[in-house]
Amino acid sequence: MTRTSDTRSRTREAASKIVAGGRPAHAITVDLIYAEIRQGSRTTINDELKLWKDEQAKVDALSAALPQAVANAMLATWAVAVEHGEHAYDARRAEVEGELGLAVSRAEAAEAAHASQQAELAALRAQLEDARGDALVAREETRGEREVKASALEKLDALALRLAADADGAARRLDGLRDSYEQRLQQQREAHAAAEASFREELARATERLEGVQRHVMLQVSEAREAQKRAEDQLAKAVQRGERLGTELEGLRAQTATQAMQLQRATQDHQAAAMQAKQAQAERDELKVQLANTTGRLEGTQQQVRELVARAAAPVSTPTRTGKARRVSGDAAKPPEEQSLL
């Protein structure tokens, strides 16, 4: 939506809001609207406010002439129709502006191509003028050579008169001069004919290039029209493709959100498992320490038992009635505590 259309729509909204606040429609001014929306020019606001007031006057007259229920239904329908029309107008306007910009860019490109072709045509015309100038120079040179020829003939006649006495020598020299002159004249004629033929060929080529440029211009105009049609078709396809890609993008966003939640839960489970593993490792280390302590105590107890067993196995002497000592077995000599241990 453009800035102007936004100002007009906000003008209508502000006017409706002010009327809903209790102020009559005819008392609404441009200053009140501008103080409400804070945008747009006062001219645009004034024009839209006049249209709105005219519509309100017609609505009030219609409401007074119809039953209240019918008037309310018509007003609701009218509001929906106006809103729909504004949306359709804004969409169509944006579409037309886009097409206009595309057409302007194509026209500028065609103008640039036409300017390039005009420059090429001007260059060809300049070459044609140069060729014409060269032909004129060749003609002037031919005219000068003819004058030189006439002057030479006059001098030759005068020389013939002066050398009449030496006719043989003069005739030979005259024949040589004439042969040389004829040869030079023939060479100049051939050069002139070649220059004229070259000029004609250059003129024919320039004319052919000019016709080719004209055909090229017509072909480019036709191609520009076809390109415009293809661009319109491609634009329609691009709009459809954009809608389809938008739908696919929404689906991918939903899948990404689901996968992110699953990843977060998996991360939390992994962290909990890691904590449990650390606790199990700590308990295992503690059990190892307790086992080592128990093993040490057990080995000490076994050592004490072995020592007690060794002492109990040693022979002891007991007095008899006759006063002589007799030996008893180690088990009999053991105290009751040691016997119970064994």
Side-chain angles (χ1 to χ4, degrees):
M1 182 181 292
T2 60
R3 182 74 174 178
T4 303
S5 61
D6 184 56
T7 299
R8 291 182 181 276
S9 62
R10 293 198 61 187
T11 298
R12 288 179 173 271
E13 293 175 358
S16 300
K17 182 178 179 181
I18 293 173
V19 169
R23 187 182 294 271
H26 64 83
I28 299 175
T29 62
V30 176
D31 293 334
L32 290 175
I33 298 297
Y34 187 80
E36 183 71 22
I37 65 175
R38 295 291 183 180
Q39 74 172 42
S41 65
R42 296 181 181 274
T43 302
T44 303
I45 295 174
N46 186 38
D47 295 340
E48 192 64 25
L49 184 60
K50 286 181 179 180
L51 293 175
W52 182 84
K53 286 183 178 180
D54 292 340
E55 293 174 0
Q56 291 298 315
K58 293 178 181 179
V59 169
D60 294 339
L62 183 62
S63 298
L66 296 175
Q68 185 65 31
V70 176
N72 292 335
M74 292 183 65
L75 289 175
T77 303
W78 174 256
V80 172
V82 168
E83 184 178 1
H84 178 72
E86 289 179 351
H87 289 312
Y89 172 76
D90 293 336
R92 180 56 183 167
R93 181 172 183 176
E95 183 180 356
V96 170
E97 287 179 353
E99 293 177 355
L100 179 60
L102 184 60
V104 169
S105 62
R106 291 174 179 169
E108 290 177 353
E111 289 179 357
H114 181 67
S116 177
Q117 292 168 358
Q118 290 293 331
E120 184 178 358
L121 181 60
L124 291 175
R125 288 178 177 174
Q127 292 178 3
L128 181 60
E129 292 296 330
D130 293 339
R132 289 178 179 175
D134 294 339
L136 292 176
V137 171
R139 290 177 183 176
E140 291 295 331
E141 290 178 353
T142 302
R143 187 180 298 109
E145 290 173 356
R146 289 177 180 176
E147 293 178 355
V148 170
K149 177 183 176 181
S151 176
L153 289 174
E154 292 178 358
K155 292 179 180 179
L156 185 60
D157 293 337
L159 182 61
L161 293 174
R162 286 195 302 269
L163 299 177
D166 195 0
D168 294 336
R172 287 193 298 268
R173 288 193 298 272
L174 181 61
D175 291 337
L177 289 173
R178 284 180 178 177
D179 293 339
S180 177
Y181 174 75
E182 290 295 336
Q183 185 178 3
R184 289 180 56 192
L185 182 61
Q186 183 64 28
Q187 292 176 354
Q188 291 175 356
R189 286 176 180 175
E190 292 176 355
H192 176 68
E196 186 174 359
S198 177
F199 169 73
R200 292 180 183 276
E201 291 177 358
E202 186 66 27
L203 181 61
R205 286 195 297 270
T207 304
E208 185 178 357
R209 285 197 297 269
L210 180 59
E211 292 175 354
V213 168
Q214 291 176 350
R215 288 194 299 270
H216 184 64
V217 169
M218 296 301 295
L219 181 60
Q220 283 190 345
V221 170
S222 177
E223 290 177 351
R225 292 176 180 174
E226 293 178 358
Q228 180 178 3
K229 184 178 180 180
R230 288 195 300 271
E232 292 175 354
D233 295 338
Q234 291 177 0
L235 177 61
K237 293 180 181 178
V239 170
Q240 295 177 358
R241 192 182 303 111
E243 294 176 354
R244 185 173 63 256
L245 290 177
T247 303
E248 294 178 357
L249 179 60
E250 292 298 330
L252 289 175
R253 286 178 178 173
Q255 292 179 1
T256 303
T258 303
Q259 292 176 357
M261 293 177 63
Q262 293 176 354
L263 178 60
Q264 184 178 4
R265 287 197 295 269
T267 303
Q268 294 175 355
D269 295 341
H270 177 69
Q271 293 177 353
M275 292 295 296
Q276 292 177 359
K278 289 182 179 179
Q279 292 177 358
Q281 184 68 29
E283 292 176 357
R284 180 182 177 184
D285 295 339
E286 185 177 356
L287 290 174
K288 285 182 177 180
V289 173
Q290 292 178 1
L291 179 60
N293 294 333
T294 303
T295 303
R297 287 196 299 269
L298 180 59
E299 290 177 354
T301 302
Q302 290 177 353
Q303 182 66 28
Q304 293 177 0
V305 169
R306 284 194 295 271
E307 292 176 357
L308 291 174
V309 170
R311 286 198 301 267
V316 294
S317 298
T318 57
T320 61
R321 294 179 181 179
T322 59
K324 294 180 180 181
R326 66 179 183 89
R327 298 186 64 181
V328 297
S329 64
D331 294 338
K334 291 179 182 178
E337 294 83 0
E338 294 182 3
Q339 293 181 3
S340 64
L341 290 175
L342 292 174

